[in-house]
Amino acid sequence: MPNLTKQKNAAGKLIEFGMVSHTAEEVAHRNHADKDDHPLRFQGQGKILLALAQNDGLSQKELATRSNLAVQSTAEFVNKLAKKQLVTKEKSTTDRRKTIIRLTDLGRATAAAETAKVPAYLDVLTDTELDQLTAILTKINGSLYDEIKAMTPADSNRFKETVTDHLRDWFL
């Protein structure tokens, strides 16, 4: 059984990483000369671009499900992306209640450029450390997937597939 103090230290470092990385993204956004021109990678707009890059022409409800976002948040992000001319919105020809979202050429290029970027904070790690970090996170993620499956068996495979699809297109 692992040492409880070491587990608490590791948990604290994971929480610290989440907080620091989130704050670093916010500071970078605030200090960027063009407030609309910042990385979309892990934020709501980036999730939507990625979902559309994987499967263009989704309804807002399908986008919300694939991106694991609230429908209201999805609508807000889609409107921001449309304002930036990265997506278009059109009424479905089969069901006028649905709005279909499609990538523009600029949106497709933006999604491709964002997926090619690797977070700069990984530059401080050696190849050996990157291999170790990958192995550790793979093990932790596997445990979390098992927890999710135990709590919500019907949804766990869909969630894991969505995450896997997102990561495959972001970094692999």
Side-chain angles (χ1 to χ4, degrees):
M1 187 75 172
N3 179 300
L4 183 59
T5 301
K6 289 183 180 192
Q7 284 180 324
K8 286 182 177 182
N9 286 339
K13 287 298 176 184
L14 282 172
I15 292 166
E16 179 184 8
F17 172 77
M19 294 171 74
V20 171
S21 64
H22 180 75
T23 301
E25 284 183 21
E26 285 183 345
V27 169
H29 173 65
R30 263 196 317 267
N31 293 332
H32 200 282
D34 182 354
K35 298 289 186 224
D36 289 330
D37 184 28
H38 63 281
L40 300 172
R41 202 175 1 252
F42 302 115
Q43 299 168 1
Q45 293 178 52
K47 289 181 179 181
I48 289 171
L49 282 180
L50 180 59
L52 291 170
Q54 293 170 337
N55 189 3
D56 204 9
L58 296 173
S59 71
Q60 283 193 179
K61 185 175 180 181
E62 291 168 320
L63 270 174
T65 300
R66 287 183 63 98
S67 303
N68 200 26
L69 296 168
V71 174
Q72 297 86 345
S73 297
T74 302
E76 184 180 325
F77 292 137
V78 164
N79 286 335
K80 289 179 180 180
L81 290 168
K83 188 176 177 181
K84 296 176 185 177
Q85 300 180 349
L86 299 175
V87 301
T88 60
K89 301 184 327 183
E90 60 190 53
K91 288 291 179 188
S92 169
T93 56
T94 57
D95 184 347
R96 302 296 292 165
R97 296 172 296 177
K98 289 184 178 181
T99 301
I100 304 300
I101 313 303
R102 297 188 191 286
L103 284 175
T104 63
D105 289 341
L106 178 60
R108 203 170 334 284
T110 301
E114 287 298 315
T115 59
K117 295 177 183 175
V118 173
Y121 54 77
L122 292 176
D123 291 346
V124 300
L125 301 177
T126 66
D127 285 349
T128 301
E129 290 168 332
L130 288 168
D131 290 340
Q132 292 169 342
L133 179 63
T134 300
I136 291 167
L137 292 174
T138 299
K139 190 172 185 177
I140 292 171
N141 289 342
S143 174
L144 291 171
Y145 283 131
D146 290 345
E147 251 183 72
I148 292 167
K149 187 174 186 174
M151 291 184 281
T152 59
D155 295 332
S156 66
N157 285 338
R158 179 191 55 80
F159 173 75
K160 188 174 182 179
E161 288 171 8
T162 300
V163 170
T164 303
D165 285 350
H166 277 64
L167 291 176
R168 180 195 65 236
D169 288 347
W170 279 117
F171 295 113
L172 305 176

PDB file of all heavy atoms in Angstrom, residues 3-38:
ATOM      1  N   ASN A   3       2.356   4.987   0.576  1.00  0.00           N
ATOM      2  CA  ASN A   3       2.448   5.866   1.729  1.00  0.00           C
ATOM      3  C   ASN A   3       1.415   6.992   1.589  1.00  0.00           C
ATOM      4  O   ASN A   3       1.375   7.693   0.581  1.00  0.00           O
ATOM      5  CB  ASN A   3       3.878   6.420   1.786  1.00  0.00           C
ATOM      6  CG  ASN A   3       4.093   7.375   2.925  1.00  0.00           C
ATOM      7  OD1 ASN A   3       3.429   8.404   3.010  1.00  0.00           O
ATOM      8  ND2 ASN A   3       5.032   7.034   3.786  1.00  0.00           N
ATOM      9  N   LEU A   4       0.576   7.178   2.598  1.00  0.00           N
ATOM     10  CA  LEU A   4      -0.493   8.170   2.563  1.00  0.00           C
ATOM     11  C   LEU A   4       0.051   9.597   2.400  1.00  0.00           C
ATOM     12  O   LEU A   4      -0.520  10.400   1.652  1.00  0.00           O
ATOM     13  CB  LEU A   4      -1.348   8.075   3.831  1.00  0.00           C
ATOM     14  CG  LEU A   4      -2.558   9.005   3.898  1.00  0.00           C
ATOM     15  CD1 LEU A   4      -3.508   8.748   2.730  1.00  0.00           C
ATOM     16  CD2 LEU A   4      -3.287   8.824   5.222  1.00  0.00           C
ATOM     17  N   THR A   5       1.150   9.896   3.046  1.00  0.00           N
ATOM     18  CA  THR A   5       1.748  11.231   2.928  1.00  0.00           C
ATOM     19  C   THR A   5       2.193  11.487   1.487  1.00  0.00           C
ATOM     20  O   THR A   5       1.973  12.576   0.944  1.00  0.00           O
ATOM     21  CB  THR A   5       2.942  11.376   3.892  1.00  0.00           C
ATOM     22  OG1 THR A   5       2.485  11.151   5.224  1.00  0.00           O
ATOM     23  CG2 THR A   5       3.567  12.756   3.791  1.00  0.00           C
ATOM     24  N   LYS A   6       2.791  10.479   0.863  1.00  0.00           N
ATOM     25  CA  LYS A   6       3.220  10.631  -0.539  1.00  0.00           C
ATOM     26  C   LYS A   6       2.015  10.787  -1.460  1.00  0.00           C
ATOM     27  O   LYS A   6       2.056  11.572  -2.421  1.00  0.00           O
ATOM     28  CB  LYS A   6       4.079   9.441  -0.956  1.00  0.00           C
ATOM     29  CG  LYS A   6       5.444   9.456  -0.299  1.00  0.00           C
ATOM     30  CD  LYS A   6       6.297   8.309  -0.774  1.00  0.00           C
ATOM     31  CE  LYS A   6       7.660   8.370  -0.088  1.00  0.00           C
ATOM     32  NZ  LYS A   6       8.627   7.486  -0.686  1.00  0.00           N
ATOM     33  N   GLN A   7       0.941  10.061  -1.175  1.00  0.00           N
ATOM     34  CA  GLN A   7      -0.278  10.201  -1.975  1.00  0.00           C
ATOM     35  C   GLN A   7      -0.843  11.616  -1.857  1.00  0.00           C
ATOM     36  O   GLN A   7      -1.236  12.226  -2.849  1.00  0.00           O
ATOM     37  CB  GLN A   7      -1.337   9.186  -1.534  1.00  0.00           C
ATOM     38  CG  GLN A   7      -1.082   7.781  -1.997  1.00  0.00           C
ATOM     39  CD  GLN A   7      -2.173   6.835  -1.533  1.00  0.00           C
ATOM     40  OE1 GLN A   7      -2.711   6.963  -0.434  1.00  0.00           O
ATOM     41  NE2 GLN A   7      -2.502   5.879  -2.388  1.00  0.00           N
ATOM     42  N   LYS A   8      -0.863  12.140  -0.625  1.00  0.00           N
ATOM     43  CA  LYS A   8      -1.375  13.497  -0.409  1.00  0.00           C
ATOM     44  C   LYS A   8      -0.496  14.529  -1.115  1.00  0.00           C
ATOM     45  O   LYS A   8      -1.009  15.483  -1.700  1.00  0.00           O
ATOM     46  CB  LYS A   8      -1.456  13.800   1.085  1.00  0.00           C
ATOM     47  CG  LYS A   8      -2.603  13.101   1.774  1.00  0.00           C
ATOM     48  CD  LYS A   8      -2.659  13.473   3.253  1.00  0.00           C
ATOM     49  CE  LYS A   8      -3.844  12.823   3.930  1.00  0.00           C
ATOM     50  NZ  LYS A   8      -3.937  13.206   5.351  1.00  0.00           N
ATOM     51  N   ASN A   9       0.823  14.350  -1.069  1.00  0.00           N
ATOM     52  CA  ASN A   9       1.733  15.258  -1.764  1.00  0.00           C
ATOM     53  C   ASN A   9       1.486  15.229  -3.273  1.00  0.00           C
ATOM     54  O   ASN A   9       1.449  16.278  -3.927  1.00  0.00           O
ATOM     55  CB  ASN A   9       3.191  14.914  -1.463  1.00  0.00           C
ATOM     56  CG  ASN A   9       3.612  15.321  -0.070  1.00  0.00           C
ATOM     57  OD1 ASN A   9       2.991  16.182   0.546  1.00  0.00           O
ATOM     58  ND2 ASN A   9       4.662  14.693   0.435  1.00  0.00           N
ATOM     59  N   ALA A  10       1.333  14.025  -3.825  1.00  0.00           N
ATOM     60  CA  ALA A  10       1.075  13.891  -5.268  1.00  0.00           C
ATOM     61  C   ALA A  10      -0.273  14.516  -5.633  1.00  0.00           C
ATOM     62  O   ALA A  10      -0.384  15.224  -6.647  1.00  0.00           O
ATOM     63  CB  ALA A  10       1.122  12.417  -5.672  1.00  0.00           C
ATOM     64  N   ALA A  11      -1.296  14.271  -4.820  1.00  0.00           N
ATOM     65  CA  ALA A  11      -2.618  14.858  -5.075  1.00  0.00           C
ATOM     66  C   ALA A  11      -2.531  16.383  -5.035  1.00  0.00           C
ATOM     67  O   ALA A  11      -3.113  17.072  -5.887  1.00  0.00           O
ATOM     68  CB  ALA A  11      -3.632  14.351  -4.049  1.00  0.00           C
ATOM     69  N   GLY A  12      -1.788  16.906  -4.065  1.00  0.00           N
ATOM     70  CA  GLY A  12      -1.608  18.351  -3.980  1.00  0.00           C
ATOM     71  C   GLY A  12      -0.926  18.922  -5.207  1.00  0.00           C
ATOM     72  O   GLY A  12      -1.298  19.985  -5.709  1.00  0.00           O
ATOM     73  N   LYS A  13       0.075  18.195  -5.716  1.00  0.00           N
ATOM     74  CA  LYS A  13       0.787  18.663  -6.915  1.00  0.00           C
ATOM     75  C   LYS A  13      -0.128  18.630  -8.150  1.00  0.00           C
ATOM     76  O   LYS A  13      -0.041  19.506  -9.012  1.00  0.00           O
ATOM     77  CB  LYS A  13       2.049  17.841  -7.161  1.00  0.00           C
ATOM     78  CG  LYS A  13       3.159  18.142  -6.172  1.00  0.00           C
ATOM     79  CD  LYS A  13       3.582  19.601  -6.289  1.00  0.00           C
ATOM     80  CE  LYS A  13       4.621  19.993  -5.271  1.00  0.00           C
ATOM     81  NZ  LYS A  13       4.940  21.416  -5.341  1.00  0.00           N
ATOM     82  N   LEU A  14      -0.994  17.624  -8.242  1.00  0.00           N
ATOM     83  CA  LEU A  14      -1.939  17.566  -9.362  1.00  0.00           C
ATOM     84  C   LEU A  14      -2.920  18.737  -9.294  1.00  0.00           C
ATOM     85  O   LEU A  14      -3.214  19.377 -10.308  1.00  0.00           O
ATOM     86  CB  LEU A  14      -2.705  16.245  -9.366  1.00  0.00           C
ATOM     87  CG  LEU A  14      -1.959  15.034  -9.899  1.00  0.00           C
ATOM     88  CD1 LEU A  14      -2.760  13.764  -9.656  1.00  0.00           C
ATOM     89  CD2 LEU A  14      -1.661  15.193 -11.382  1.00  0.00           C
ATOM     90  N   ILE A  15      -3.413  19.016  -8.093  1.00  0.00           N
ATOM     91  CA  ILE A  15      -4.333  20.143  -7.915  1.00  0.00           C
ATOM     92  C   ILE A  15      -3.609  21.455  -8.228  1.00  0.00           C
ATOM     93  O   ILE A  15      -4.135  22.322  -8.928  1.00  0.00           O
ATOM     94  CB  ILE A  15      -4.916  20.149  -6.488  1.00  0.00           C
ATOM     95  CG1 ILE A  15      -5.840  18.938  -6.315  1.00  0.00           C
ATOM     96  CG2 ILE A  15      -5.647  21.452  -6.187  1.00  0.00           C
ATOM     97  CD1 ILE A  15      -6.220  18.639  -4.878  1.00  0.00           C
ATOM     98  N   GLU A  16      -2.396  21.587  -7.728  1.00  0.00           N
ATOM     99  CA  GLU A  16      -1.599  22.785  -7.997  1.00  0.00           C
ATOM    100  C   GLU A  16      -1.388  22.958  -9.501  1.00  0.00           C
ATOM    101  O   GLU A  16      -1.532  24.063 -10.037  1.00  0.00           O
ATOM    102  CB  GLU A  16      -0.249  22.683  -7.292  1.00  0.00           C
ATOM    103  CG  GLU A  16       0.661  23.866  -7.535  1.00  0.00           C
ATOM    104  CD  GLU A  16       2.034  23.719  -6.904  1.00  0.00           C
ATOM    105  OE1 GLU A  16       2.366  22.619  -6.392  1.00  0.00           O
ATOM    106  OE2 GLU A  16       2.806  24.688  -6.953  1.00  0.00           O
ATOM    107  N   PHE A  17      -1.050  21.869 -10.196  1.00  0.00           N
ATOM    108  CA  PHE A  17      -0.848  21.949 -11.643  1.00  0.00           C
ATOM    109  C   PHE A  17      -2.112  22.459 -12.337  1.00  0.00           C
ATOM    110  O   PHE A  17      -2.046  23.338 -13.201  1.00  0.00           O
ATOM    111  CB  PHE A  17      -0.452  20.585 -12.229  1.00  0.00           C
ATOM    112  CG  PHE A  17      -0.438  20.590 -13.728  1.00  0.00           C
ATOM    113  CD1 PHE A  17       0.608  21.179 -14.417  1.00  0.00           C
ATOM    114  CD2 PHE A  17      -1.493  20.058 -14.453  1.00  0.00           C
ATOM    115  CE1 PHE A  17       0.612  21.224 -15.805  1.00  0.00           C
ATOM    116  CE2 PHE A  17      -1.494  20.098 -15.837  1.00  0.00           C
ATOM    117  CZ  PHE A  17      -0.439  20.686 -16.513  1.00  0.00           C
ATOM    118  N   GLY A  18      -3.260  21.919 -11.959  1.00  0.00           N
ATOM    119  CA  GLY A  18      -4.512  22.367 -12.567  1.00  0.00           C
ATOM    120  C   GLY A  18      -4.751  23.848 -12.359  1.00  0.00           C
ATOM    121  O   GLY A  18      -5.117  24.570 -13.288  1.00  0.00           O
ATOM    122  N   MET A  19      -4.507  24.298 -11.139  1.00  0.00           N
ATOM    123  CA  MET A  19      -4.726  25.710 -10.828  1.00  0.00           C
ATOM    124  C   MET A  19      -3.718  26.612 -11.529  1.00  0.00           C
ATOM    125  O   MET A  19      -4.085  27.651 -12.092  1.00  0.00           O
ATOM    126  CB  MET A  19      -4.667  25.911  -9.314  1.00  0.00           C
ATOM    127  CG  MET A  19      -5.797  25.217  -8.566  1.00  0.00           C
ATOM    128  SD  MET A  19      -5.590  25.235  -6.780  1.00  0.00           S
ATOM    129  CE  MET A  19      -5.987  26.929  -6.419  1.00  0.00           C
ATOM    130  N   VAL A  20      -2.457  26.233 -11.507  1.00  0.00           N
ATOM    131  CA  VAL A  20      -1.413  27.053 -12.123  1.00  0.00           C
ATOM    132  C   VAL A  20      -1.577  27.096 -13.643  1.00  0.00           C
ATOM    133  O   VAL A  20      -1.465  28.166 -14.260  1.00  0.00           O
ATOM    134  CB  VAL A  20      -0.004  26.551 -11.729  1.00  0.00           C
ATOM    135  CG1 VAL A  20       1.079  27.250 -12.522  1.00  0.00           C
ATOM    136  CG2 VAL A  20       0.225  26.747 -10.239  1.00  0.00           C
ATOM    137  N   SER A  21      -1.859  25.954 -14.260  1.00  0.00           N
ATOM    138  CA  SER A  21      -2.008  25.950 -15.722  1.00  0.00           C
ATOM    139  C   SER A  21      -3.226  26.771 -16.138  1.00  0.00           C
ATOM    140  O   SER A  21      -3.179  27.508 -17.131  1.00  0.00           O
ATOM    141  CB  SER A  21      -2.076  24.529 -16.270  1.00  0.00           C
ATOM    142  OG  SER A  21      -3.218  23.852 -15.807  1.00  0.00           O
ATOM    143  N   HIS A  22      -4.305  26.675 -15.371  1.00  0.00           N
ATOM    144  CA  HIS A  22      -5.500  27.472 -15.668  1.00  0.00           C
ATOM    145  C   HIS A  22      -5.188  28.967 -15.540  1.00  0.00           C
ATOM    146  O   HIS A  22      -5.547  29.769 -16.406  1.00  0.00           O
ATOM    147  CB  HIS A  22      -6.641  27.072 -14.731  1.00  0.00           C
ATOM    148  CG  HIS A  22      -7.901  27.842 -14.958  1.00  0.00           C
ATOM    149  ND1 HIS A  22      -8.731  27.594 -16.034  1.00  0.00           N
ATOM    150  CD2 HIS A  22      -8.447  28.870 -14.275  1.00  0.00           C
ATOM    151  CE1 HIS A  22      -9.747  28.434 -15.998  1.00  0.00           C
ATOM    152  NE2 HIS A  22      -9.605  29.218 -14.941  1.00  0.00           N
ATOM    153  N   THR A  23      -4.494  29.344 -14.466  1.00  0.00           N
ATOM    154  CA  THR A  23      -4.133  30.740 -14.251  1.00  0.00           C
ATOM    155  C   THR A  23      -3.186  31.231 -15.346  1.00  0.00           C
ATOM    156  O   THR A  23      -3.339  32.353 -15.850  1.00  0.00           O
ATOM    157  CB  THR A  23      -3.485  30.922 -12.864  1.00  0.00           C
ATOM    158  OG1 THR A  23      -4.426  30.499 -11.870  1.00  0.00           O
ATOM    159  CG2 THR A  23      -3.095  32.371 -12.615  1.00  0.00           C
ATOM    160  N   ALA A  24      -2.225  30.396 -15.736  1.00  0.00           N
ATOM    161  CA  ALA A  24      -1.287  30.777 -16.802  1.00  0.00           C
ATOM    162  C   ALA A  24      -2.039  31.044 -18.108  1.00  0.00           C
ATOM    163  O   ALA A  24      -1.731  32.003 -18.828  1.00  0.00           O
ATOM    164  CB  ALA A  24      -0.232  29.687 -16.994  1.00  0.00           C
ATOM    165  N   GLU A  25      -3.032  30.210 -18.419  1.00  0.00           N
ATOM    166  CA  GLU A  25      -3.832  30.437 -19.634  1.00  0.00           C
ATOM    167  C   GLU A  25      -4.606  31.744 -19.533  1.00  0.00           C
ATOM    168  O   GLU A  25      -4.682  32.501 -20.505  1.00  0.00           O
ATOM    169  CB  GLU A  25      -4.792  29.266 -19.859  1.00  0.00           C
ATOM    170  CG  GLU A  25      -4.131  28.036 -20.408  1.00  0.00           C
ATOM    171  CD  GLU A  25      -5.137  26.923 -20.696  1.00  0.00           C
ATOM    172  OE1 GLU A  25      -6.338  27.214 -20.848  1.00  0.00           O
ATOM    173  OE2 GLU A  25      -4.698  25.773 -20.775  1.00  0.00           O
ATOM    174  N   GLU A  26      -5.198  32.014 -18.359  1.00  0.00           N
ATOM    175  CA  GLU A  26      -5.944  33.266 -18.179  1.00  0.00           C
ATOM    176  C   GLU A  26      -5.038  34.480 -18.303  1.00  0.00           C
ATOM    177  O   GLU A  26      -5.396  35.468 -18.940  1.00  0.00           O
ATOM    178  CB  GLU A  26      -6.628  33.275 -16.811  1.00  0.00           C
ATOM    179  CG  GLU A  26      -7.847  32.395 -16.733  1.00  0.00           C
ATOM    180  CD  GLU A  26      -8.536  32.476 -15.380  1.00  0.00           C
ATOM    181  OE1 GLU A  26      -7.925  32.987 -14.415  1.00  0.00           O
ATOM    182  OE2 GLU A  26      -9.679  32.034 -15.308  1.00  0.00           O
ATOM    183  N   VAL A  27      -3.857  34.434 -17.700  1.00  0.00           N
ATOM    184  CA  VAL A  27      -2.914  35.556 -17.774  1.00  0.00           C
ATOM    185  C   VAL A  27      -2.463  35.765 -19.218  1.00  0.00           C
ATOM    186  O   VAL A  27      -2.406  36.903 -19.700  1.00  0.00           O
ATOM    187  CB  VAL A  27      -1.705  35.318 -16.831  1.00  0.00           C
ATOM    188  CG1 VAL A  27      -0.596  36.320 -17.094  1.00  0.00           C
ATOM    189  CG2 VAL A  27      -2.150  35.366 -15.381  1.00  0.00           C
ATOM    190  N   ALA A  28      -2.160  34.674 -19.911  1.00  0.00           N
ATOM    191  CA  ALA A  28      -1.752  34.792 -21.317  1.00  0.00           C
ATOM    192  C   ALA A  28      -2.861  35.422 -22.147  1.00  0.00           C
ATOM    193  O   ALA A  28      -2.607  36.283 -22.993  1.00  0.00           O
ATOM    194  CB  ALA A  28      -1.388  33.423 -21.869  1.00  0.00           C
ATOM    195  N   HIS A  29      -4.086  35.040 -21.876  1.00  0.00           N
ATOM    196  CA  HIS A  29      -5.222  35.609 -22.607  1.00  0.00           C
ATOM    197  C   HIS A  29      -5.379  37.092 -22.290  1.00  0.00           C
ATOM    198  O   HIS A  29      -5.551  37.911 -23.183  1.00  0.00           O
ATOM    199  CB  HIS A  29      -6.506  34.854 -22.265  1.00  0.00           C
ATOM    200  CG  HIS A  29      -7.738  35.462 -22.845  1.00  0.00           C
ATOM    201  ND1 HIS A  29      -7.948  35.529 -24.200  1.00  0.00           N
ATOM    202  CD2 HIS A  29      -8.817  36.036 -22.269  1.00  0.00           C
ATOM    203  CE1 HIS A  29      -9.115  36.124 -24.424  1.00  0.00           C
ATOM    204  NE2 HIS A  29      -9.650  36.439 -23.268  1.00  0.00           N
ATOM    205  N   ARG A  30      -5.311  37.441 -21.005  1.00  0.00           N
ATOM    206  CA  ARG A  30      -5.459  38.854 -20.594  1.00  0.00           C
ATOM    207  C   ARG A  30      -4.374  39.729 -21.175  1.00  0.00           C
ATOM    208  O   ARG A  30      -4.608  40.880 -21.528  1.00  0.00           O
ATOM    209  CB  ARG A  30      -5.420  38.954 -19.071  1.00  0.00           C
ATOM    210  CG  ARG A  30      -6.751  39.016 -18.394  1.00  0.00           C
ATOM    211  CD  ARG A  30      -6.666  39.501 -16.962  1.00  0.00           C
ATOM    212  NE  ARG A  30      -5.591  38.940 -16.182  1.00  0.00           N
ATOM    213  CZ  ARG A  30      -5.687  37.866 -15.404  1.00  0.00           C
ATOM    214  NH1 ARG A  30      -6.817  37.231 -15.323  1.00  0.00           N
ATOM    215  NH2 ARG A  30      -4.654  37.442 -14.713  1.00  0.00           N
ATOM    216  N   ASN A  31      -3.152  39.215 -21.256  1.00  0.00           N
ATOM    217  CA  ASN A  31      -2.016  40.020 -21.701  1.00  0.00           C
ATOM    218  C   ASN A  31      -1.785  39.965 -23.196  1.00  0.00           C
ATOM    219  O   ASN A  31      -0.888  40.637 -23.698  1.00  0.00           O
ATOM    220  CB  ASN A  31      -0.747  39.583 -20.962  1.00  0.00           C
ATOM    221  CG  ASN A  31      -0.816  39.911 -19.490  1.00  0.00           C
ATOM    222  OD1 ASN A  31      -1.492  40.851 -19.086  1.00  0.00           O
ATOM    223  ND2 ASN A  31      -0.142  39.125 -18.674  1.00  0.00           N
ATOM    224  N   HIS A  32      -2.562  39.177 -23.899  1.00  0.00           N
ATOM    225  CA  HIS A  32      -2.380  39.061 -25.352  1.00  0.00           C
ATOM    226  C   HIS A  32      -2.902  40.331 -26.010  1.00  0.00           C
ATOM    227  O   HIS A  32      -3.958  40.839 -25.650  1.00  0.00           O
ATOM    228  CB  HIS A  32      -3.126  37.833 -25.875  1.00  0.00           C
ATOM    229  CG  HIS A  32      -2.634  37.371 -27.205  1.00  0.00           C
ATOM    230  ND1 HIS A  32      -2.982  38.000 -28.364  1.00  0.00           N
ATOM    231  CD2 HIS A  32      -1.815  36.356 -27.560  1.00  0.00           C
ATOM    232  CE1 HIS A  32      -2.403  37.387 -29.383  1.00  0.00           C
ATOM    233  NE2 HIS A  32      -1.697  36.387 -28.919  1.00  0.00           N
ATOM    234  N   ALA A  33      -2.161  40.839 -26.960  1.00  0.00           N
ATOM    235  CA  ALA A  33      -2.519  42.097 -27.620  1.00  0.00           C
ATOM    236  C   ALA A  33      -3.907  42.009 -28.267  1.00  0.00           C
ATOM    237  O   ALA A  33      -4.697  42.940 -28.178  1.00  0.00           O
ATOM    238  CB  ALA A  33      -1.470  42.453 -28.668  1.00  0.00           C
ATOM    239  N   ASP A  34      -4.189  40.892 -28.936  1.00  0.00           N
ATOM    240  CA  ASP A  34      -5.490  40.699 -29.579  1.00  0.00           C
ATOM    241  C   ASP A  34      -6.261  39.694 -28.746  1.00  0.00           C
ATOM    242  O   ASP A  34      -6.012  38.498 -28.789  1.00  0.00           O
ATOM    243  CB  ASP A  34      -5.306  40.193 -31.017  1.00  0.00           C
ATOM    244  CG  ASP A  34      -6.632  40.031 -31.744  1.00  0.00           C
ATOM    245  OD1 ASP A  34      -7.697  40.188 -31.115  1.00  0.00           O
ATOM    246  OD2 ASP A  34      -6.603  39.728 -32.953  1.00  0.00           O
ATOM    247  N   LYS A  35      -7.232  40.172 -27.978  1.00  0.00           N
ATOM    248  CA  LYS A  35      -7.967  39.311 -27.037  1.00  0.00           C
ATOM    249  C   LYS A  35      -8.684  38.155 -27.742  1.00  0.00           C
ATOM    250  O   LYS A  35      -8.955  37.136 -27.140  1.00  0.00           O
ATOM    251  CB  LYS A  35      -8.998  40.127 -26.252  1.00  0.00           C
ATOM    252  CG  LYS A  35      -8.390  41.214 -25.414  1.00  0.00           C
ATOM    253  CD  LYS A  35      -7.652  40.651 -24.223  1.00  0.00           C
ATOM    254  CE  LYS A  35      -7.177  41.748 -23.316  1.00  0.00           C
ATOM    255  NZ  LYS A  35      -5.867  41.610 -22.836  1.00  0.00           N
ATOM    256  N   ASP A  36      -9.005  38.330 -29.012  1.00  0.00           N
ATOM    257  CA  ASP A  36      -9.697  37.260 -29.737  1.00  0.00           C
ATOM    258  C   ASP A  36      -8.734  36.270 -30.371  1.00  0.00           C
ATOM    259  O   ASP A  36      -9.142  35.275 -30.937  1.00  0.00           O
ATOM    260  CB  ASP A  36     -10.598  37.858 -30.831  1.00  0.00           C
ATOM    261  CG  ASP A  36     -11.800  38.555 -30.226  1.00  0.00           C
ATOM    262  OD1 ASP A  36     -12.236  38.126 -29.139  1.00  0.00           O
ATOM    263  OD2 ASP A  36     -12.295  39.520 -30.826  1.00  0.00           O
ATOM    264  N   ASP A  37      -7.433  36.554 -30.296  1.00  0.00           N
ATOM    265  CA  ASP A  37      -6.444  35.691 -30.942  1.00  0.00           C
ATOM    266  C   ASP A  37      -5.576  35.015 -29.886  1.00  0.00           C
ATOM    267  O   ASP A  37      -4.443  35.397 -29.660  1.00  0.00           O
ATOM    268  CB  ASP A  37      -5.575  36.520 -31.898  1.00  0.00           C
ATOM    269  CG  ASP A  37      -4.596  35.646 -32.663  1.00  0.00           C
ATOM    270  OD1 ASP A  37      -4.889  34.460 -32.881  1.00  0.00           O
ATOM    271  OD2 ASP A  37      -3.520  36.163 -33.027  1.00  0.00           O
ATOM    272  N   HIS A  38      -6.149  34.032 -29.211  1.00  0.00           N
ATOM    273  CA  HIS A  38      -5.420  33.278 -28.200  1.00  0.00           C
ATOM    274  C   HIS A  38      -5.689  31.797 -28.436  1.00  0.00           C
ATOM    275  O   HIS A  38      -6.638  31.443 -29.116  1.00  0.00           O
ATOM    276  CB  HIS A  38      -5.833  33.711 -26.794  1.00  0.00           C
ATOM    277  CG  HIS A  38      -7.268  33.437 -26.485  1.00  0.00           C
ATOM    278  ND1 HIS A  38      -8.280  34.239 -26.943  1.00  0.00           N
ATOM    279  CD2 HIS A  38      -7.856  32.435 -25.806  1.00  0.00           C
ATOM    280  CE1 HIS A  38      -9.435  33.753 -26.545  1.00  0.00           C
ATOM    281  NE2 HIS A  38      -9.208  32.657 -25.859  1.00  0.00           N
TER     282      HIS A  38
END
